């Protein structure tokens, strides 16, 4: 990025993701300019898949941007826009929410003086502009701001921290307008010659639930194992926004 066009930003972890956090006030008013800015900030597109020339970490969970602003809505304190930045391609996606980074929005709002903290705990009312849904984030605070220390542990993240509670007020139909986009709880889905029984559910984000055994993996498989299986025949593709379920029934 041209050093003559410097923008203030915060680099934060939320759940099992990390993102660059921008104030809406610091970004170009023309949102058509956001794409190039975010791509350069994260180091995309990168044919090597490492994003060494930017803040991205080479995988989708580490190539994200959040835009935050005070909300004009009576039922919200903060407006939050999520941007997924592709690693290898010159693409961004603003069609969905990110629950992991959503957990960082409240602390960011408090520490950036957008919301006044309360003693003990603070609840920040967040409006996600991608899905037009409201979420309340409750987390420990004191007179100085967010309290980050704590004993809460997240699988896949080293160390511990303070717990952050997220209450999705009406999560159904965030992307498609329906909790069950196709109207039925389970069905057969055929993609590229592969047929699977799946459940399509839109709660917070649209998601496809697939039995682990149908993909030839264990429900306890780690991310690298799942990614490896998804790229191997007959499933020679990446499954995005899917949940692999280990039990017999959905």
């Amino acid at each position: 990025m041209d050093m003559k066009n410097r923008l203030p930003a915060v680099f934060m972890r939320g759940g099992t993701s990390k993102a660059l956090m921008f104030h809406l006030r610091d970004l170009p008013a023309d949102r058509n300019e956001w794409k190039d800015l975010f791509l350069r900030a994260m180091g995309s597109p990168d044919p090597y898949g490492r994003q060494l020339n930017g803040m991205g970490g080479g995988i989708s969970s580490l190539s994200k941007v959040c835009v935050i602003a005070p909300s004009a809505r009576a039922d919200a304190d903060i407006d939050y826009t999520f941007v997924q930045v592709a690693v290898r391609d010159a693409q961004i996606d603003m069609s969905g929410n990110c629950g992991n980074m959503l957990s960082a929005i409240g602390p960011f709002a408090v520490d950036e003086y957008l919301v006044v903290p309360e003693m003990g705990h603070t609840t920040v009312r967040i409006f996600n502009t991608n899905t037009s849904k409201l979420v309340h984030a409750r987390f420990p605070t004191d007179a100085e701001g967010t309290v980050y220390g704590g004993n809460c542990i997240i699988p896949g993240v080293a160390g511990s921290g303070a717990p952050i509670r997220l209450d999705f007020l009406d999560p159904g139909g965030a992307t498609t307008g329906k909790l069950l986009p196709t109207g039925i709880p389970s069905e057969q889905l055929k993609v590229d010659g592969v047929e699977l029984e799946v459940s399509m559910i839109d709660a917070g984000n649209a998601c496809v639930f697939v039995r682990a055994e149908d993909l030839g993996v264990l429900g306890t498989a780690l991310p690298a194992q799942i990614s490896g299986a998804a790229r191997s025949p007959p499933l020679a593709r990446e499954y995005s926004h899917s949940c692999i379920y280990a039990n017999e029934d959905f």
Side-chain angles (χ1 to χ4, degrees):
M1 186 178 298
D2 190 339
M3 292 301 289
K4 295 180 181 179
N5 297 314
R6 287 179 285 185
L7 292 173
V10 175
F11 193 50
M12 291 185 72
R13 177 179 69 82
T16 55
S17 293
K18 290 192 289 188
L20 276 177
M21 318 284 281
F22 291 100
H23 286 274
L24 176 63
R25 67 190 183 216
D26 296 323
L27 296 175
D30 184 357
R31 296 199 177 196
N32 292 323
E33 298 180 26
W34 287 13
K35 178 180 177 180
D36 184 60
L37 190 156
F38 294 157
L39 288 171
R40 288 186 290 145
M42 301 308 293
S44 297
D46 185 352
Y48 304 104
R50 301 183 69 189
Q51 294 178 307
L52 293 177
N53 201 34
M55 294 297 294
I59 56 176
S60 62
S61 60
L62 306 180
S63 186
K64 302 182 176 186
V65 169
C66 299
V67 180
I68 301 94
S71 182
R73 296 173 59 97
D75 56 359
D77 305 305
I78 297 296
D79 286 345
Y80 150 58
T81 301
F82 170 68
V83 184
Q84 180 69 58
V85 181
V87 175
R88 296 178 180 270
D89 302 317
Q91 299 292 333
I92 65 171
D93 181 14
M94 298 172 62
S95 63
N97 189 5
C98 174
N100 279 301
M101 289 314 306
L102 179 59
S103 65
I105 303 303
F108 175 91
V110 166
D111 292 345
E112 291 290 306
Y113 308 106
L114 300 177
V115 174
V116 178
E118 301 177 5
M119 290 301 296
H121 289 84
T122 297
T123 296
V124 177
R125 303 172 303 164
I126 303 166
F127 177 70
N128 175 238
T129 65
N130 307 80
T131 60
S132 297
K133 294 294 184 178
L134 286 166
V135 182
H136 289 181
R138 186 174 186 270
F139 50 95
T141 53
D142 57 24
E144 297 181 357
T146 303
V147 175
Y148 288 96
N151 298 319
C152 182
I153 297 173
I154 299 175
V157 178
S160 63
I164 299 175
R165 178 188 172 112
L166 297 177
D167 291 322
F168 291 76
L169 271 60
D170 182 23
T175 303
T176 65
K178 297 180 180 179
L179 179 63
L180 298 176
T182 61
I184 53 178
S186 65
E187 59 194 284
Q188 297 296 124
L189 181 66
K190 188 173 183 179
V191 180
D192 296 338
V194 178
E195 188 168 346
L196 298 167
E197 184 180 8
V198 304
S199 285
M200 300 185 188
I201 301 175
D202 181 1
N205 266 327
C207 192
V208 179
F209 288 81
V210 185
R211 289 188 183 90
E213 64 183 25
D214 292 344
L215 296 178
V217 298
L218 298 175
T220 56
L222 297 176
Q225 295 171 294
I226 295 173
S227 296
R231 294 187 179 95
S232 301
L235 304 175
R237 56 190 294 272
E238 287 193 48
Y239 287 85
S240 179
H241 292 92
S242 298
C243 294
I244 298 177
Y245 198 70
N247 288 346
E248 286 279 326
D249 299 309
F250 292 109

